[in-house]
Amino acid sequence: MGLLALGTALDWPEARKRAQQVREWGILQLLEIWNKAKGKERDALLWGDEVEYLVVLYEKEGSKVLLSLRQAEILDALACDAELAKKGGCTAEGQDAELKQTQSQPVPVFHPEFGRFMLEATPGKPWGIGFKELLGVEPDMKLRRRIAKEHMLPTEYPITLTTFPRIGSPGQFTFPEYPISGPRLRSQFVPDEIANPHIRFPTLAANIRSRRGRKVQVNVPVFHDKNTPKPWKDPTVDFDLHQWPEDDDVRNGAAPDDHIHMDAMAFGMGSCCLQITFQAKNITEGRQMYDQLSPLGPIMLALTAATPVYKGFLANTDVRWNQISNAVDCRTPEEMGEKPLKNDRWRIPKSRYASNSTYIAEDARLRPEYLDPDLVFDPEIKQTLMDGGMDDLLATHFAHLFIRDPIVIFAEDLEELDLKKTDHFENIQSTNWQHMRFKPPPADNSIGWRVEFRSMEIQITDFENAAFSVFMVLVTRAILSFDLNFYVPIKRVDENMERAHALDGVLREKFYFRKNPFPARPSRANTVFGDDSRPGSAMPSRPASPGLVEDEYEEMTVNEIINGSMDGEFPGLVPIVESYLDSVNVDVETRCELATYLDLISKRSSGELDTTARWMRNFIAAHPNYKQDSVVDEKITHDLVGAAIAIGERENEGRNFAGLGIPGLPKLLGNFRGGCGGGDENGAVAGVDGSPSE
Ligand code: ADP
Ligand code: MG
Ligand code: MG
Ligand code: MG
Ligand code: MG
Ligand code: MG
């Protein structure tokens, strides 16, 4: 959004002066879309995934692996070939066959990302409702990886680790190499050139820093191993740097003991994730999906955990979420409650990258007790929206998003308000990085209301990424078909998000979750919307008896949430999905393929299989260079990345992992794609690397 707009990006002092204008114009644009699209009906149930990659420079024989900063060149090459493919004229060797291969599913689309070492790829067009189509996801993801690779140097590879283990470590970690401590980021660990050079990105980073009045502070608790000193002081922090005023940050306590200290947006926004966007048939259904998927965010974060290393050290957390949150936290000391409010309008409890703070569905089951009692919203904006005809809940949602300042403003865009565009609205909307996003139709109203599920971590293989994507699609279908109710108080979702960070949280933590997800209709008095007349569902309603909100949920393990509780009270998401699949017509082969995905989800939840984070920890612990001191050195990083590359390539060749010699794979991936139809392409593999399973 606005990515291609060229113009004069305002520095923070100027941007701040124009923030209110952007908000006001953004709200007018939002009302324009809302009035145009609120009655939109019968949009198709489409969905699409987004996969993000790191680009690395790797040679098997070497002992070092680097991030490649050639995003722009790679994207140019991809765009050129995509153009040629569209015209049917691509004859460049090696690329044409792939690019023209699929008629029904057009060539994947590649996008830039914040990190200059990142790529993002989406399907060429969104997926439809068919079950067969779900089987197209994994081949398409593999195709994307292949196409990306084909547009890289022989030693460059796209990999799907969430973070580069040694980004920001002393010594060279990018190619080309640049000096650190540049004017935009002022980081003591990473150069300004780490960010996508498009003016939007360095401006975003610089203005966040400028608005905060200091650098961002990303502190991750270090994992204390046997030989890790206690207290541990991050040995890479330079307390004697005097290049920028912000170098005082660490002298003022920004780098506490026992924490890996990071100081730039790239440490967060340089992480890769797996996102899924759903189009609803109308706004009502979109609002329902937003609310019902929200409590699943932290659960899926814990289950996809894949981020145990930062800046060359093992962390005591397993996921990326809070690091991104801190890496883009633009709040001032006043907003954070460190100083009395004087120049700023509000205390703001969360970063603009954080778990959701609103529920928005027009749902009789949405009780006021679920809403966030500390929600900050702009009352004037809410009033403007309500005067424009928007209902209270949705107006509150947007009035909450609009407490934020726009960070990147182009002077040219402020000359005239264009109600046929949504640029000012999107400016604020798309820099509110919550774990769900409610996406209105674009200005031309060509597509419908969409909801984005944003918490999942990217996985190493496309099998896993397809499995998690397809699982979320099936859960969403089950939610709609059975009218499921996952409401818990938003504060509990916030707490779950914190718990999802714990090391091995998937096995060790408990999460607040609703005990009975099946629909019951409470009486009017206890709901936000007194309207009981929602469309009927397949499931019988139970008699209404709204008890205490606290009795509606309890603490459950991920295993109980996914596979069902021992006492049978909570059915489990996988069994719910299975009964949904029983209720529709799915052919045997498709059902079998889907079962391999559900199996992965189920076994990751029970601990029969490892999360990516656990697998990485075991890989590092078993490496000859590891000294049980929490240090992930260059050679370990080289070999870990090498393993990720080898797994990706082997998967793409359609073969199993036998003989790769990478430890722990059976425990990560299970009986990889064994079972359906017995074709040798997906042939069953037990003990895939020939070693006894651990
Ligand atoms: P963003 O980065 O803003 O989240 P992207 O364009 O990168 O958005 O990705 C959005 C995802 O939504 C893609 O997978 C795309 O295929 C999918 N998508 C596009 N149009 C629709 C639609 N009408 N309904 C559902 N999904 C869509
Ligand atoms: Mg995207
Ligand atoms: Mg995006
Ligand atoms: Mg992205
Ligand atoms: Mg991103
Ligand atoms: Mg997205």
Side-chain angles (χ1 to χ4, degrees):
M1 299 294 167
L3 193 61
L4 297 176
L6 288 171
T8 318
L10 302 179
D11 282 341
W12 183 243
E14 280 311 302
R16 152 177 279 167
K17 292 183 203 147
R18 313 302 292 273
Q20 188 59 17
Q21 183 186 348
V22 171
R23 268 193 293 269
E24 282 166 14
W25 285 10
I27 286 298
L28 293 175
Q29 288 178 333
L30 170 61
L31 276 174
E32 190 77 9
I33 321 168
W34 190 73
N35 278 312
K36 211 191 293 183
K38 65 184 175 198
K40 230 167 146 358
E41 282 293 343
R42 285 190 294 278
D43 281 313
L45 260 184
L46 303 175
W47 71 278
D49 62 273
E50 294 166 72
V51 172
E52 292 174 338
Y53 309 82
L54 303 174
V55 183
V56 294
L57 267 170
Y58 169 86
E59 283 173 289
K60 195 166 197 289
E61 306 319 322
S63 58
K64 212 171 158 71
V65 56
L66 301 173
L67 285 169
S68 168
L69 302 186
R70 290 198 330 114
Q71 179 190 81
E73 290 85 342
I74 295 166
L75 283 172
D76 281 351
L78 283 160
C80 163
D81 272 5
E83 258 325 291
L84 288 172
K86 228 184 282 167
K87 294 185 198 131
C90 186
T91 51
E93 255 177 87
Q95 290 147 17
D96 51 343
E98 294 285 31
L99 286 173
K100 282 191 277 184
Q101 181 192 308
T102 43
Q103 298 301 321
S104 54
Q105 185 62 21
V107 206
V109 185
F110 289 85
H111 315 257
E113 257 300 333
F114 176 85
R116 200 167 167 181
F117 50 83
M118 294 170 80
L119 288 179
E120 179 186 295
T122 55
K125 73 172 200 296
W127 306 104
I129 191 172
F131 287 97
K132 271 264 181 262
E133 251 176 282
L134 295 177
L135 305 189
V137 177
E138 186 182 335
D140 192 73
M141 287 178 173
K142 288 177 177 164
L143 175 65
R144 286 178 230 172
R145 199 180 287 265
R146 251 180 353 256
I147 294 177
K149 173 65 188 133
E150 282 162 1
H151 292 78
M152 294 178 183
L153 304 173
T155 51
E156 270 175 337
Y157 299 87
I159 59 165
T160 41
L161 294 180
T162 54
T163 50
F164 187 69
R166 286 183 64 84
I167 183 174
S169 300
Q172 185 179 2
F173 57 88
T174 63
F175 186 85
E177 189 178 17
Y178 294 95
I180 55 152
S181 203
R184 307 303 281 186
L185 301 186
R186 305 192 180 182
S187 168
Q188 42 162 278
F189 308 111
V190 293
D192 281 2
E193 288 80 0
I194 198 92
N196 182 326
H198 185 287
I199 186 65
R200 185 186 131 76
F201 296 97
T203 306
L204 192 57
N207 285 1
I208 284 174
R209 176 179 50 68
S210 197
R211 190 182 191 284
R212 271 176 70 81
R214 51 193 162 174
K215 285 188 288 186
V216 293
Q217 290 175 10
V218 184
N219 289 314
V220 190
V222 74
F223 170 72
H224 274 101
D225 209 340
K226 229 170 64 188
N227 302 325
T228 313
K230 204 164 191 172
W232 183 82
K233 294 183 190 300
D234 185 337
T236 65
V237 175
D238 183 351
F239 288 89
D240 296 316
L241 202 61
H242 292 274
Q243 171 103 347
W244 306 105
E246 287 82 357
D247 292 325
D248 284 340
D249 289 358
V250 289
R251 289 183 283 275
N252 293 331
D257 282 357
D258 295 318
H259 287 77
I260 307 159
H261 174 62
M262 294 166 281
D263 64 352
M265 189 164 162
F267 286 107
M269 282 294 180
S271 321
C272 299
C273 65
L274 175 65
Q275 297 174 335
I276 316 290
T277 296
F278 302 96
Q279 176 168 285
K281 71 172 187 277
N282 55 32
I283 187 173
T284 308
E285 189 182 83
R287 295 169 70 163
Q288 179 190 2
M289 287 200 291
Y290 180 91
D291 282 15
Q292 295 306 326
L293 289 174
S294 179
L296 303 184
I299 313 304
M300 297 311 291
L301 176 62
L303 189 51
T304 53
T307 318
V309 186
Y310 276 99
K311 217 181 64 171
F313 302 108
L314 277 170
N316 203 35
T317 54
D318 264 2
V319 304
R320 77 201 189 286
W321 189 265
N322 279 348
Q323 280 68 260
I324 311 182
S325 177
N326 289 322
V328 293
D329 190 351
C330 67
R331 289 174 298 165
T332 65
E334 290 181 24
E335 288 168 341
M336 295 181 89
E338 292 171 10
K339 286 186 184 166
L341 275 180
K342 206 173 105 209
N343 300 310
D344 292 314
R345 296 180 291 173
W346 300 290
R347 289 266 164 86
I348 305 181
K350 293 182 194 171
S351 163
R352 57 199 300 154
Y353 189 112
S355 51
N356 289 13
S357 293
T358 55
Y359 282 131
I360 59 173
E362 299 176 278
D363 188 328
R365 303 168 304 186
L366 172 50
R367 297 173 65 168
E369 296 96 319
Y370 303 152
L371 300 175
D372 184 353
D374 305 321
L375 186 78
V376 185
F377 62 90
D378 185 326
E380 281 171 34
I381 285 180
K382 178 172 169 181
Q383 195 56 52
T384 307
L385 289 170
M386 290 183 71
D387 291 345
M390 194 180 284
D391 57 271
D392 190 299
L393 265 189
L394 200 57
T396 305
H397 168 77
F398 287 115
H400 162 65
L401 300 187
F402 272 65
I403 61 173
R404 310 289 174 175
D405 279 339
I407 298 291
V408 182
I409 301 176
F410 290 96
E412 292 77 1
D413 296 340
L414 296 178
E415 283 158 18
E416 204 183 330
L417 171 61
D418 186 349
L419 287 176
K420 290 198 272 315
K421 285 165 73 176
T422 55
D423 52 340
H424 300 295
F425 167 69
E426 286 293 344
N427 189 336
I428 307 233
Q429 155 99 341
S430 70
T431 52
N432 264 279
W433 298 280
Q434 301 191 346
H435 80 270
M436 303 290 308
R437 186 176 283 159
F438 185 59
K439 297 173 166 178
D444 67 8
N445 212 8
S446 55
I447 60 176
W449 294 88
R450 287 148 303 146
V451 169
E452 185 180 20
F453 187 77
R454 302 166 46 83
S455 65
M456 290 193 287
E457 308 232 314
I458 200 76
Q459 308 291 299
I460 294 174
T461 66
D462 292 318
F463 164 60
E464 297 162 278
N465 290 318
F468 281 107
S469 304
V470 166
F471 176 64
M472 287 314 301
V473 172
L474 294 174
V475 167
T476 304
R477 302 267 165 88
I479 286 171
L480 296 180
S481 173
F482 296 152
D483 202 13
L484 299 177
N485 178 1
F486 292 125
Y487 276 124
V488 293
I490 280 174
K491 281 275 188 251
R492 295 304 195 191
V493 180
D494 288 345
E495 237 173 302
N496 285 347
M497 207 61 141
E498 288 306 311
R499 294 179 179 195
H501 285 69
L503 197 161
D504 288 333
V506 68
L507 301 182
R508 293 196 196 164
E509 285 293 324
K510 289 196 166 191
F511 297 87
Y512 296 103
F513 211 76
R514 195 176 177 93
K515 290 189 265 188
N516 177 10
F518 295 112
R521 298 274 173 237
S523 70
R524 295 175 72 91
N526 287 286
T527 64
V528 172
F529 271 83
D531 175 12
D532 256 5
S533 58
R534 301 170 72 250
S537 82
M539 306 294 292
S541 287
R542 297 217 196 147
S545 63
L548 286 176
V549 166
E550 288 67 36
D551 293 338
E552 293 175 350
Y553 60 86
E554 64 187 1
E555 290 176 284
M556 297 184 206
T557 60
V558 171
N559 188 30
E560 288 169 329
I561 294 167
I562 298 290
N563 292 318
S565 57
M566 292 286 267
D567 61 13
E569 191 176 7
F570 185 75
L573 297 180
V574 163
I576 287 175
V577 162
E578 276 165 349
S579 56
Y580 166 68
L581 289 171
D582 290 341
S583 76
V584 288
N585 257 334
V586 189
D587 65 81
V588 176
E589 192 208 342
T590 306
R591 184 71 192 258
C592 179
E593 292 283 346
L594 295 178
T596 63
Y597 294 150
L598 296 180
D599 202 42
L600 180 82
I601 309 291
S602 172
K603 287 177 174 163
R604 289 267 168 98
S605 311
S606 70
E608 189 175 332
L609 295 180
D610 287 337
T611 60
T612 309
R614 176 38 59 202
W615 175 79
M616 286 172 71
R617 286 180 191 280
N618 292 345
F619 184 99
I620 292 163
H623 195 282
N625 268 34
Y626 184 65
K627 302 188 186 65
Q628 294 177 291
D629 57 357
S630 316
V631 175
V632 181
D633 71 7
E634 288 183 338
K635 176 67 174 150
I636 302 175
T637 302
H638 171 273
D639 294 350
L640 183 61
V641 168
I645 292 171
I647 294 168
E649 294 210 313
R650 185 60 74 83
E651 183 189 28
N652 228 316
E653 289 160 9
R655 287 188 278 141
N656 63 48
F657 299 113
L660 269 186
I662 297 169
L665 288 186
K667 190 91 197 289
L668 178 70
L669 299 169
N671 185 8
F672 185 75
R673 303 317 304 269
C676 293
D680 40 272
E681 192 197 329
N682 298 325
V685 194
V688 287
D689 59 359
S691 62
S693 61
E694 309 150 42

